[in-house]
Amino acid sequence: MSVVSENGSSIVRFGVFEVDLRAGELRRNGSKVKLQEQPFQVLTLLLERPGDVVTREELRQKLWGTETFVDFDHSLNAAIRRLRDALGDSAEHPRYVETVARRGYRFLAPLNGHSNGSVHASTLTASANRRWLWISAGVLIILGVGLAIGWFAGSRSASSRPNSERRLTANPADVPVLGGCISRDGRYLAYSDRTGMYLKVVDTGETHPVQLPEGFHPEPVSWFPDGTHIASSWVENPSQEPSIWDVSVFGGSPRKLTDQGADPSVSPDGKQITFYRGGKARGEIWIMQSDGQGARRLVGGVASVFSPVAWSPIGTRIAYVSATYYPGASSTATQLHTINLSTGESRIMLTDPRLGPGIAWNADGRLIYSKAEPRPNQDDYNLWALRLDANGNPVGSPERLTRDPGFTSAVTLSTDGRRAAFFKHSLQPDVYVVDIQDGGKRLATPQRLTLDEREDYPYSWTADSQAVLFTSDRDGTFQIYKQRIDQTTPELMVGGAEQLSIPRISPDGQTILYLITPKLGETSNQVRLMRVPVSGGPPQLVVEGPGISNHQCARARSTLCIFSQITENEMQFYTFDPMRGRGPEFDKARISGEDSYSFNWSLSPDGHWIASATKIGINQNTAIRLFSVADGTVQKITVASGAGLSNLDWAADGKSLWVTSFTTDDSWTLLNVDLQGKVRPIFKDERMRIGWAIPSPDGKRLAMWESSGSSNVWMLEDF
């Protein structure tokens, strides 16, 4: 393969570098840079399509072919590292080669002095058409594929309109864009990150900081019609809900509009604002006057999560996306609604399990919304449009607007409908292993265990503390893998087309217990608890029932195993035997209430206690409840942890708990909480979200999941 410039030259230039394609050389300021042949071919492929994503699958096909068996993930990762080393580039702050999470790579720099990257692919030359055969002891890891989802009947595969798309912000992963919106005249982008709030001229890129009071860090969400004020969210106290403020782009003192609220959306005439209350659960949609007066609830429900609200062009209707959780089921009912504000009439425009949180209402009557892709790109969300008539009825079929990787949300529009700004996020959950030091008082630096670009979640260790059991969607649906801590590739333990979750070990360490849950979009809440030998063999059914949500066993000498089952307003516990099935109900530890599904629990290693805490809610002091297995008595541990607790797991010695805590400014901390209520913050990562931490049986390590990613604002024009 060769890449040539428009004038036919085999020299491609970017920055201080030039690539001689015929000679196979990379030069920096005229001096040759040593670069192995394989990284050079990766560079050649990226230069063919500057600004576009070259997928890992495309790189595999073109560099290794389909009949070459290598440890592909390791080989490609090594080639990318060598290429970045030669260019003086980094994955965290890319100037040339950007990683697009779960997809591939993109070349960022202008080529041959042109910002549009004016190079094109031509006929393969003999020197560039070579393949390399790598002989490796490893096996080829099949690249991830995702859930198969049907498209809307009759939907078009692409928009009939020519449109252009470009990135408006270029923040690195460690400084993500937190809030942003395009002005109503389409001339300015207001956005914020950890360093402050900024105003950017869309056409020129000129950017100016907005001067605000020290310590005030708002997230701009929606412009007022006058073009000088923005409704913004701010977390005053990380243990409380956000508040809504009127912020001037000229700086100065902001004005608070309401104490509790997030994601404000200003009406077209600027007289009303919709917003949310209910913290991370987004439990209610409210509306108020633009000065903060007359607030009232429009819609709500404790089991619902809502997207930001979109106003119709004339301000008579609003639209939003809701996701309603069915207790005990693994899926949600996801719907796009509209409400007539004068009559209160509510309509469901679309019902689809892949609807996302991005929504806007364009001047030409089209509802713009985000939707997930079918596999193998199930984690990517793109923009679609549904046209409505004057009465708010759907007309025709949905129309695709974008085709890009990343999670799309927070869509804002110019009044004329020609420009749409939206967020693209990438989120990469991976398994990390970290050594516990000083008797649990501190942790060493976490080391990434899983090296793929899919979603990986750890749940357990093997009995010898040398391997982690985790789930991954790298092959489409979530399957169960085992990976030794000294290895770079995992072993598939349980595969197939079903959705698998929560692999844990039996008390004797010989059996893997796991759940088979309904697939996305299925309304059934029937769950199967299965077993399979660690040494291999066919899976067998242990228990089946509606709403089975979690399971865990103590360690030998105890043989106690418990699973939880969720009914409409209650979580119940049952004992079970891995070989014989369901036992009696453990009725001493019932959890009642409408949000019982939100509770996380863990069984102590000796089988004496069940610890539980809610995963949602905003409380300055959150209680962990300890249920005695022997007599059902309850002890409470008060944790002053900020906004709330996310997940908890017992330490290996049973004397404390590893707990993740979150605040409303999206800060996450791993805590160690002993049974007397002493709380020690052990680990905090400013760049990544912490999910949970699973201790190894010998108590020497934790298997954690952390999510890395990036967040930037893009713009779609003339769509």
mmCIF file with all atom_site columns, all heavy atoms in Angstrom, residues 213-236:
data_model
loop_
_atom_site.group_PDB
_atom_site.id
_atom_site.type_symbol
_atom_site.label_atom_id
_atom_site.label_alt_id
_atom_site.label_comp_id
_atom_site.label_asym_id
_atom_site.label_entity_id
_atom_site.label_seq_id
_atom_site.pdbx_PDB_ins_code
_atom_site.Cartn_x
_atom_site.Cartn_y
_atom_site.Cartn_z
_atom_site.occupancy
_atom_site.B_iso_or_equiv
_atom_site.pdbx_formal_charge
_atom_site.auth_seq_id
_atom_site.auth_comp_id
_atom_site.auth_asym_id
_atom_site.auth_atom_id
_atom_site.pdbx_PDB_model_num
ATOM 1   N N   . PRO A 1 213 ? -16.011 34.343 39.921 1.00 0.00 ? 213 PRO A N   1
ATOM 2   C CA  . PRO A 1 213 ? -15.493 34.368 41.294 1.00 0.00 ? 213 PRO A CA  1
ATOM 3   C C   . PRO A 1 213 ? -14.644 33.142 41.604 1.00 0.00 ? 213 PRO A C   1
ATOM 4   O O   . PRO A 1 213 ? -14.913 32.041 41.103 1.00 0.00 ? 213 PRO A O   1
ATOM 5   C CB  . PRO A 1 213 ? -16.766 34.399 42.153 1.00 0.00 ? 213 PRO A CB  1
ATOM 6   C CG  . PRO A 1 213 ? -17.810 34.982 41.256 1.00 0.00 ? 213 PRO A CG  1
ATOM 7   C CD  . PRO A 1 213 ? -17.483 34.504 39.884 1.00 0.00 ? 213 PRO A CD  1
ATOM 8   N N   . GLU A 1 214 ? -13.634 33.316 42.419 1.00 0.00 ? 214 GLU A N   1
ATOM 9   C CA  . GLU A 1 214 ? -12.749 32.219 42.781 1.00 0.00 ? 214 GLU A CA  1
ATOM 10  C C   . GLU A 1 214 ? -13.539 31.107 43.471 1.00 0.00 ? 214 GLU A C   1
ATOM 11  O O   . GLU A 1 214 ? -14.374 31.349 44.338 1.00 0.00 ? 214 GLU A O   1
ATOM 12  C CB  . GLU A 1 214 ? -11.648 32.725 43.711 1.00 0.00 ? 214 GLU A CB  1
ATOM 13  C CG  . GLU A 1 214 ? -10.607 31.671 44.052 1.00 0.00 ? 214 GLU A CG  1
ATOM 14  C CD  . GLU A 1 214 ? -9.479  32.225 44.899 1.00 0.00 ? 214 GLU A CD  1
ATOM 15  O OE1 . GLU A 1 214 ? -9.488  33.448 45.169 1.00 0.00 ? 214 GLU A OE1 1
ATOM 16  O OE2 . GLU A 1 214 ? -8.601  31.440 45.295 1.00 0.00 ? 214 GLU A OE2 1
ATOM 17  N N   . GLY A 1 215 ? -13.283 29.872 43.046 1.00 0.00 ? 215 GLY A N   1
ATOM 18  C CA  . GLY A 1 215 ? -13.966 28.726 43.627 1.00 0.00 ? 215 GLY A CA  1
ATOM 19  C C   . GLY A 1 215 ? -15.290 28.390 42.985 1.00 0.00 ? 215 GLY A C   1
ATOM 20  O O   . GLY A 1 215 ? -15.901 27.370 43.316 1.00 0.00 ? 215 GLY A O   1
ATOM 21  N N   . PHE A 1 216 ? -15.754 29.228 42.055 1.00 0.00 ? 216 PHE A N   1
ATOM 22  C CA  . PHE A 1 216 ? -17.022 28.981 41.367 1.00 0.00 ? 216 PHE A CA  1
ATOM 23  C C   . PHE A 1 216 ? -16.711 28.310 40.027 1.00 0.00 ? 216 PHE A C   1
ATOM 24  O O   . PHE A 1 216 ? -16.082 28.902 39.156 1.00 0.00 ? 216 PHE A O   1
ATOM 25  C CB  . PHE A 1 216 ? -17.768 30.297 41.156 1.00 0.00 ? 216 PHE A CB  1
ATOM 26  C CG  . PHE A 1 216 ? -19.107 30.143 40.465 1.00 0.00 ? 216 PHE A CG  1
ATOM 27  C CD1 . PHE A 1 216 ? -20.165 29.549 41.120 1.00 0.00 ? 216 PHE A CD1 1
ATOM 28  C CD2 . PHE A 1 216 ? -19.297 30.602 39.166 1.00 0.00 ? 216 PHE A CD2 1
ATOM 29  C CE1 . PHE A 1 216 ? -21.401 29.411 40.497 1.00 0.00 ? 216 PHE A CE1 1
ATOM 30  C CE2 . PHE A 1 216 ? -20.516 30.477 38.539 1.00 0.00 ? 216 PHE A CE2 1
ATOM 31  C CZ  . PHE A 1 216 ? -21.579 29.871 39.204 1.00 0.00 ? 216 PHE A CZ  1
ATOM 32  N N   . HIS A 1 217 ? -17.153 27.061 39.866 1.00 0.00 ? 217 HIS A N   1
ATOM 33  C CA  . HIS A 1 217 ? -16.816 26.273 38.671 1.00 0.00 ? 217 HIS A CA  1
ATOM 34  C C   . HIS A 1 217 ? -18.087 25.719 38.032 1.00 0.00 ? 217 HIS A C   1
ATOM 35  O O   . HIS A 1 217 ? -18.436 24.553 38.202 1.00 0.00 ? 217 HIS A O   1
ATOM 36  C CB  . HIS A 1 217 ? -15.870 25.134 39.037 1.00 0.00 ? 217 HIS A CB  1
ATOM 37  C CG  . HIS A 1 217 ? -14.590 25.593 39.663 1.00 0.00 ? 217 HIS A CG  1
ATOM 38  N ND1 . HIS A 1 217 ? -13.629 26.278 38.952 1.00 0.00 ? 217 HIS A ND1 1
ATOM 39  C CD2 . HIS A 1 217 ? -14.121 25.468 40.926 1.00 0.00 ? 217 HIS A CD2 1
ATOM 40  C CE1 . HIS A 1 217 ? -12.614 26.555 39.751 1.00 0.00 ? 217 HIS A CE1 1
ATOM 41  N NE2 . HIS A 1 217 ? -12.890 26.094 40.953 1.00 0.00 ? 217 HIS A NE2 1
ATOM 42  N N   . PRO A 1 218 ? -18.806 26.538 37.292 1.00 0.00 ? 218 PRO A N   1
ATOM 43  C CA  . PRO A 1 218 ? -20.078 26.084 36.717 1.00 0.00 ? 218 PRO A CA  1
ATOM 44  C C   . PRO A 1 218 ? -19.874 25.240 35.456 1.00 0.00 ? 218 PRO A C   1
ATOM 45  O O   . PRO A 1 218 ? -18.817 25.279 34.821 1.00 0.00 ? 218 PRO A O   1
ATOM 46  C CB  . PRO A 1 218 ? -20.782 27.398 36.380 1.00 0.00 ? 218 PRO A CB  1
ATOM 47  C CG  . PRO A 1 218 ? -19.654 28.316 36.018 1.00 0.00 ? 218 PRO A CG  1
ATOM 48  C CD  . PRO A 1 218 ? -18.523 27.940 36.943 1.00 0.00 ? 218 PRO A CD  1
ATOM 49  N N   . GLU A 1 219 ? -20.914 24.500 35.108 1.00 0.00 ? 219 GLU A N   1
ATOM 50  C CA  . GLU A 1 219 ? -20.961 23.769 33.845 1.00 0.00 ? 219 GLU A CA  1
ATOM 51  C C   . GLU A 1 219 ? -22.049 24.403 32.987 1.00 0.00 ? 219 GLU A C   1
ATOM 52  O O   . GLU A 1 219 ? -23.234 24.288 33.296 1.00 0.00 ? 219 GLU A O   1
ATOM 53  C CB  . GLU A 1 219 ? -21.257 22.291 34.084 1.00 0.00 ? 219 GLU A CB  1
ATOM 54  C CG  . GLU A 1 219 ? -20.185 21.579 34.878 1.00 0.00 ? 219 GLU A CG  1
ATOM 55  C CD  . GLU A 1 219 ? -20.500 20.114 35.108 1.00 0.00 ? 219 GLU A CD  1
ATOM 56  O OE1 . GLU A 1 219 ? -21.452 19.607 34.457 1.00 0.00 ? 219 GLU A OE1 1
ATOM 57  O OE2 . GLU A 1 219 ? -19.815 19.476 35.916 1.00 0.00 ? 219 GLU A OE2 1
ATOM 58  N N   . PRO A 1 220 ? -21.680 25.116 31.897 1.00 0.00 ? 220 PRO A N   1
ATOM 59  C CA  . PRO A 1 220 ? -22.693 25.767 31.051 1.00 0.00 ? 220 PRO A CA  1
ATOM 60  C C   . PRO A 1 220 ? -23.541 24.732 30.327 1.00 0.00 ? 220 PRO A C   1
ATOM 61  O O   . PRO A 1 220 ? -23.006 23.772 29.775 1.00 0.00 ? 220 PRO A O   1
ATOM 62  C CB  . PRO A 1 220 ? -21.855 26.598 30.085 1.00 0.00 ? 220 PRO A CB  1
ATOM 63  C CG  . PRO A 1 220 ? -20.521 25.920 30.050 1.00 0.00 ? 220 PRO A CG  1
ATOM 64  C CD  . PRO A 1 220 ? -20.318 25.338 31.412 1.00 0.00 ? 220 PRO A CD  1
ATOM 65  N N   . VAL A 1 221 ? -24.864 24.953 30.321 1.00 0.00 ? 221 VAL A N   1
ATOM 66  C CA  . VAL A 1 221 ? -25.772 23.958 29.762 1.00 0.00 ? 221 VAL A CA  1
ATOM 67  C C   . VAL A 1 221 ? -26.684 24.538 28.684 1.00 0.00 ? 221 VAL A C   1
ATOM 68  O O   . VAL A 1 221 ? -26.901 23.920 27.642 1.00 0.00 ? 221 VAL A O   1
ATOM 69  C CB  . VAL A 1 221 ? -26.634 23.320 30.872 1.00 0.00 ? 221 VAL A CB  1
ATOM 70  C CG1 . VAL A 1 221 ? -27.573 22.267 30.295 1.00 0.00 ? 221 VAL A CG1 1
ATOM 71  C CG2 . VAL A 1 221 ? -25.756 22.706 31.955 1.00 0.00 ? 221 VAL A CG2 1
ATOM 72  N N   . SER A 1 222 ? -27.234 25.756 28.889 1.00 0.00 ? 222 SER A N   1
ATOM 73  C CA  . SER A 1 222 ? -28.240 26.274 27.960 1.00 0.00 ? 222 SER A CA  1
ATOM 74  C C   . SER A 1 222 ? -28.188 27.798 27.926 1.00 0.00 ? 222 SER A C   1
ATOM 75  O O   . SER A 1 222 ? -28.239 28.446 28.982 1.00 0.00 ? 222 SER A O   1
ATOM 76  C CB  . SER A 1 222 ? -29.644 25.803 28.391 1.00 0.00 ? 222 SER A CB  1
ATOM 77  O OG  . SER A 1 222 ? -30.648 26.269 27.518 1.00 0.00 ? 222 SER A OG  1
ATOM 78  N N   . TRP A 1 223 ? -28.087 28.381 26.722 1.00 0.00 ? 223 TRP A N   1
ATOM 79  C CA  . TRP A 1 223 ? -28.024 29.838 26.561 1.00 0.00 ? 223 TRP A CA  1
ATOM 80  C C   . TRP A 1 223 ? -29.407 30.473 26.695 1.00 0.00 ? 223 TRP A C   1
ATOM 81  O O   . TRP A 1 223 ? -30.412 29.908 26.250 1.00 0.00 ? 223 TRP A O   1
ATOM 82  C CB  . TRP A 1 223 ? -27.482 30.203 25.187 1.00 0.00 ? 223 TRP A CB  1
ATOM 83  C CG  . TRP A 1 223 ? -26.004 29.977 25.002 1.00 0.00 ? 223 TRP A CG  1
ATOM 84  C CD1 . TRP A 1 223 ? -25.372 28.783 24.843 1.00 0.00 ? 223 TRP A CD1 1
ATOM 85  C CD2 . TRP A 1 223 ? -24.988 30.985 24.917 1.00 0.00 ? 223 TRP A CD2 1
ATOM 86  N NE1 . TRP A 1 223 ? -24.034 28.969 24.675 1.00 0.00 ? 223 TRP A NE1 1
ATOM 87  C CE2 . TRP A 1 223 ? -23.759 30.309 24.708 1.00 0.00 ? 223 TRP A CE2 1
ATOM 88  C CE3 . TRP A 1 223 ? -24.994 32.378 24.993 1.00 0.00 ? 223 TRP A CE3 1
ATOM 89  C CZ2 . TRP A 1 223 ? -22.549 30.981 24.570 1.00 0.00 ? 223 TRP A CZ2 1
ATOM 90  C CZ3 . TRP A 1 223 ? -23.786 33.050 24.850 1.00 0.00 ? 223 TRP A CZ3 1
ATOM 91  C CH2 . TRP A 1 223 ? -22.592 32.372 24.654 1.00 0.00 ? 223 TRP A CH2 1
ATOM 92  N N   . PHE A 1 224 ? -29.452 31.683 27.268 1.00 0.00 ? 224 PHE A N   1
ATOM 93  C CA  . PHE A 1 224 ? -30.650 32.518 27.191 1.00 0.00 ? 224 PHE A CA  1
ATOM 94  C C   . PHE A 1 224 ? -30.683 33.193 25.820 1.00 0.00 ? 224 PHE A C   1
ATOM 95  O O   . PHE A 1 224 ? -29.646 33.358 25.158 1.00 0.00 ? 224 PHE A O   1
ATOM 96  C CB  . PHE A 1 224 ? -30.628 33.575 28.302 1.00 0.00 ? 224 PHE A CB  1
ATOM 97  C CG  . PHE A 1 224 ? -30.936 33.031 29.666 1.00 0.00 ? 224 PHE A CG  1
ATOM 98  C CD1 . PHE A 1 224 ? -29.928 32.584 30.501 1.00 0.00 ? 224 PHE A CD1 1
ATOM 99  C CD2 . PHE A 1 224 ? -32.247 32.958 30.110 1.00 0.00 ? 224 PHE A CD2 1
ATOM 100 C CE1 . PHE A 1 224 ? -30.203 32.080 31.759 1.00 0.00 ? 224 PHE A CE1 1
ATOM 101 C CE2 . PHE A 1 224 ? -32.541 32.453 31.372 1.00 0.00 ? 224 PHE A CE2 1
ATOM 102 C CZ  . PHE A 1 224 ? -31.518 32.013 32.196 1.00 0.00 ? 224 PHE A CZ  1
ATOM 103 N N   . PRO A 1 225 ? -31.871 33.608 25.359 1.00 0.00 ? 225 PRO A N   1
ATOM 104 C CA  . PRO A 1 225 ? -31.986 34.194 24.014 1.00 0.00 ? 225 PRO A CA  1
ATOM 105 C C   . PRO A 1 225 ? -31.170 35.463 23.809 1.00 0.00 ? 225 PRO A C   1
ATOM 106 O O   . PRO A 1 225 ? -30.814 35.772 22.656 1.00 0.00 ? 225 PRO A O   1
ATOM 107 C CB  . PRO A 1 225 ? -33.490 34.485 23.882 1.00 0.00 ? 225 PRO A CB  1
ATOM 108 C CG  . PRO A 1 225 ? -34.153 33.563 24.840 1.00 0.00 ? 225 PRO A CG  1
ATOM 109 C CD  . PRO A 1 225 ? -33.202 33.414 25.980 1.00 0.00 ? 225 PRO A CD  1
ATOM 110 N N   . ASP A 1 226 ? -30.846 36.211 24.871 1.00 0.00 ? 226 ASP A N   1
ATOM 111 C CA  . ASP A 1 226 ? -30.112 37.456 24.672 1.00 0.00 ? 226 ASP A CA  1
ATOM 112 C C   . ASP A 1 226 ? -28.647 37.243 24.307 1.00 0.00 ? 226 ASP A C   1
ATOM 113 O O   . ASP A 1 226 ? -27.932 38.189 23.963 1.00 0.00 ? 226 ASP A O   1
ATOM 114 C CB  . ASP A 1 226 ? -30.215 38.348 25.918 1.00 0.00 ? 226 ASP A CB  1
ATOM 115 C CG  . ASP A 1 226 ? -29.568 37.726 27.158 1.00 0.00 ? 226 ASP A CG  1
ATOM 116 O OD1 . ASP A 1 226 ? -28.942 36.647 27.051 1.00 0.00 ? 226 ASP A OD1 1
ATOM 117 O OD2 . ASP A 1 226 ? -29.690 38.329 28.241 1.00 0.00 ? 226 ASP A OD2 1
ATOM 118 N N   . GLY A 1 227 ? -28.171 36.002 24.382 1.00 0.00 ? 227 GLY A N   1
ATOM 119 C CA  . GLY A 1 227 ? -26.806 35.706 23.978 1.00 0.00 ? 227 GLY A CA  1
ATOM 120 C C   . GLY A 1 227 ? -25.747 36.178 24.944 1.00 0.00 ? 227 GLY A C   1
ATOM 121 O O   . GLY A 1 227 ? -24.550 36.161 24.613 1.00 0.00 ? 227 GLY A O   1
ATOM 122 N N   . THR A 1 228 ? -26.132 36.587 26.144 1.00 0.00 ? 228 THR A N   1
ATOM 123 C CA  . THR A 1 228 ? -25.152 37.067 27.122 1.00 0.00 ? 228 THR A CA  1
ATOM 124 C C   . THR A 1 228 ? -25.187 36.277 28.423 1.00 0.00 ? 228 THR A C   1
ATOM 125 O O   . THR A 1 228 ? -24.294 36.444 29.245 1.00 0.00 ? 228 THR A O   1
ATOM 126 C CB  . THR A 1 228 ? -25.388 38.551 27.453 1.00 0.00 ? 228 THR A CB  1
ATOM 127 O OG1 . THR A 1 228 ? -26.669 38.706 28.090 1.00 0.00 ? 228 THR A OG1 1
ATOM 128 C CG2 . THR A 1 228 ? -25.343 39.402 26.191 1.00 0.00 ? 228 THR A CG2 1
ATOM 129 N N   . HIS A 1 229 ? -26.198 35.433 28.602 1.00 0.00 ? 229 HIS A N   1
ATOM 130 C CA  . HIS A 1 229 ? -26.334 34.685 29.846 1.00 0.00 ? 229 HIS A CA  1
ATOM 131 C C   . HIS A 1 229 ? -26.524 33.203 29.538 1.00 0.00 ? 229 HIS A C   1
ATOM 132 O O   . HIS A 1 229 ? -27.095 32.844 28.500 1.00 0.00 ? 229 HIS A O   1
ATOM 133 C CB  . HIS A 1 229 ? -27.530 35.190 30.666 1.00 0.00 ? 229 HIS A CB  1
ATOM 134 C CG  . HIS A 1 229 ? -27.330 36.567 31.208 1.00 0.00 ? 229 HIS A CG  1
ATOM 135 N ND1 . HIS A 1 229 ? -26.963 36.813 32.509 1.00 0.00 ? 229 HIS A ND1 1
ATOM 136 C CD2 . HIS A 1 229 ? -27.438 37.790 30.613 1.00 0.00 ? 229 HIS A CD2 1
ATOM 137 C CE1 . HIS A 1 229 ? -26.857 38.119 32.695 1.00 0.00 ? 229 HIS A CE1 1
ATOM 138 N NE2 . HIS A 1 229 ? -27.144 38.729 31.559 1.00 0.00 ? 229 HIS A NE2 1
ATOM 139 N N   . ILE A 1 230 ? -26.071 32.369 30.469 1.00 0.00 ? 230 ILE A N   1
ATOM 140 C CA  . ILE A 1 230 ? -26.159 30.917 30.301 1.00 0.00 ? 230 ILE A CA  1
ATOM 141 C C   . ILE A 1 230 ? -26.655 30.292 31.591 1.00 0.00 ? 230 ILE A C   1
ATOM 142 O O   . ILE A 1 230 ? -26.149 30.599 32.682 1.00 0.00 ? 230 ILE A O   1
ATOM 143 C CB  . ILE A 1 230 ? -24.787 30.315 29.939 1.00 0.00 ? 230 ILE A CB  1
ATOM 144 C CG1 . ILE A 1 230 ? -24.250 30.934 28.648 1.00 0.00 ? 230 ILE A CG1 1
ATOM 145 C CG2 . ILE A 1 230 ? -24.883 28.801 29.785 1.00 0.00 ? 230 ILE A CG2 1
ATOM 146 C CD1 . ILE A 1 230 ? -22.839 30.493 28.305 1.00 0.00 ? 230 ILE A CD1 1
ATOM 147 N N   . ALA A 1 231 ? -27.657 29.432 31.475 1.00 0.00 ? 231 ALA A N   1
ATOM 148 C CA  . ALA A 1 231 ? -28.101 28.632 32.620 1.00 0.00 ? 231 ALA A CA  1
ATOM 149 C C   . ALA A 1 231 ? -27.088 27.516 32.830 1.00 0.00 ? 231 ALA A C   1
ATOM 150 O O   . ALA A 1 231 ? -26.789 26.744 31.914 1.00 0.00 ? 231 ALA A O   1
ATOM 151 C CB  . ALA A 1 231 ? -29.491 28.058 32.368 1.00 0.00 ? 231 ALA A CB  1
ATOM 152 N N   . SER A 1 232 ? -26.556 27.438 34.051 1.00 0.00 ? 232 SER A N   1
ATOM 153 C CA  . SER A 1 232 ? -25.443 26.531 34.331 1.00 0.00 ? 232 SER A CA  1
ATOM 154 C C   . SER A 1 232 ? -25.697 25.755 35.616 1.00 0.00 ? 232 SER A C   1
ATOM 155 O O   . SER A 1 232 ? -26.420 26.208 36.504 1.00 0.00 ? 232 SER A O   1
ATOM 156 C CB  . SER A 1 232 ? -24.138 27.322 34.472 1.00 0.00 ? 232 SER A CB  1
ATOM 157 O OG  . SER A 1 232 ? -23.914 28.140 33.334 1.00 0.00 ? 232 SER A OG  1
ATOM 158 N N   . SER A 1 233 ? -25.066 24.590 35.717 1.00 0.00 ? 233 SER A N   1
ATOM 159 C CA  . SER A 1 233 ? -25.101 23.791 36.938 1.00 0.00 ? 233 SER A CA  1
ATOM 160 C C   . SER A 1 233 ? -23.795 23.986 37.701 1.00 0.00 ? 233 SER A C   1
ATOM 161 O O   . SER A 1 233 ? -22.731 24.158 37.101 1.00 0.00 ? 233 SER A O   1
ATOM 162 C CB  . SER A 1 233 ? -25.278 22.303 36.613 1.00 0.00 ? 233 SER A CB  1
ATOM 163 O OG  . SER A 1 233 ? -26.525 22.051 36.012 1.00 0.00 ? 233 SER A OG  1
ATOM 164 N N   . TRP A 1 234 ? -23.883 23.934 39.031 1.00 0.00 ? 234 TRP A N   1
ATOM 165 C CA  . TRP A 1 234 ? -22.672 24.004 39.853 1.00 0.00 ? 234 TRP A CA  1
ATOM 166 C C   . TRP A 1 234 ? -22.868 23.159 41.088 1.00 0.00 ? 234 TRP A C   1
ATOM 167 O O   . TRP A 1 234 ? -23.925 23.190 41.725 1.00 0.00 ? 234 TRP A O   1
ATOM 168 C CB  . TRP A 1 234 ? -22.366 25.448 40.261 1.00 0.00 ? 234 TRP A CB  1
ATOM 169 C CG  . TRP A 1 234 ? -21.112 25.574 41.103 1.00 0.00 ? 234 TRP A CG  1
ATOM 170 C CD1 . TRP A 1 234 ? -19.926 24.938 40.893 1.00 0.00 ? 234 TRP A CD1 1
ATOM 171 C CD2 . TRP A 1 234 ? -20.955 26.350 42.292 1.00 0.00 ? 234 TRP A CD2 1
ATOM 172 N NE1 . TRP A 1 234 ? -19.019 25.289 41.868 1.00 0.00 ? 234 TRP A NE1 1
ATOM 173 C CE2 . TRP A 1 234 ? -19.617 26.158 42.748 1.00 0.00 ? 234 TRP A CE2 1
ATOM 174 C CE3 . TRP A 1 234 ? -21.786 27.209 43.010 1.00 0.00 ? 234 TRP A CE3 1
ATOM 175 C CZ2 . TRP A 1 234 ? -19.112 26.778 43.883 1.00 0.00 ? 234 TRP A CZ2 1
ATOM 176 C CZ3 . TRP A 1 234 ? -21.280 27.829 44.142 1.00 0.00 ? 234 TRP A CZ3 1
ATOM 177 C CH2 . TRP A 1 234 ? -19.953 27.619 44.562 1.00 0.00 ? 234 TRP A CH2 1
ATOM 178 N N   . VAL A 1 235 ? -21.840 22.391 41.432 1.00 0.00 ? 235 VAL A N   1
ATOM 179 C CA  . VAL A 1 235 ? -21.846 21.603 42.654 1.00 0.00 ? 235 VAL A CA  1
ATOM 180 C C   . VAL A 1 235 ? -21.184 22.434 43.743 1.00 0.00 ? 235 VAL A C   1
ATOM 181 O O   . VAL A 1 235 ? -19.959 22.520 43.826 1.00 0.00 ? 235 VAL A O   1
ATOM 182 C CB  . VAL A 1 235 ? -21.113 20.262 42.454 1.00 0.00 ? 235 VAL A CB  1
ATOM 183 C CG1 . VAL A 1 235 ? -21.067 19.486 43.767 1.00 0.00 ? 235 VAL A CG1 1
ATOM 184 C CG2 . VAL A 1 235 ? -21.795 19.432 41.378 1.00 0.00 ? 235 VAL A CG2 1
ATOM 185 N N   . GLU A 1 236 ? -22.004 23.077 44.561 1.00 0.00 ? 236 GLU A N   1
ATOM 186 C CA  . GLU A 1 236 ? -21.460 23.884 45.659 1.00 0.00 ? 236 GLU A CA  1
ATOM 187 C C   . GLU A 1 236 ? -20.830 23.012 46.730 1.00 0.00 ? 236 GLU A C   1
ATOM 188 O O   . GLU A 1 236 ? -19.759 23.313 47.252 1.00 0.00 ? 236 GLU A O   1
ATOM 189 C CB  . GLU A 1 236 ? -22.571 24.724 46.306 1.00 0.00 ? 236 GLU A CB  1
ATOM 190 C CG  . GLU A 1 236 ? -23.203 25.762 45.413 1.00 0.00 ? 236 GLU A CG  1
ATOM 191 C CD  . GLU A 1 236 ? -24.290 26.517 46.151 1.00 0.00 ? 236 GLU A CD  1
ATOM 192 O OE1 . GLU A 1 236 ? -23.937 27.379 46.988 1.00 0.00 ? 236 GLU A OE1 1
ATOM 193 O OE2 . GLU A 1 236 ? -25.477 26.257 45.901 1.00 0.00 ? 236 GLU A OE2 1
#
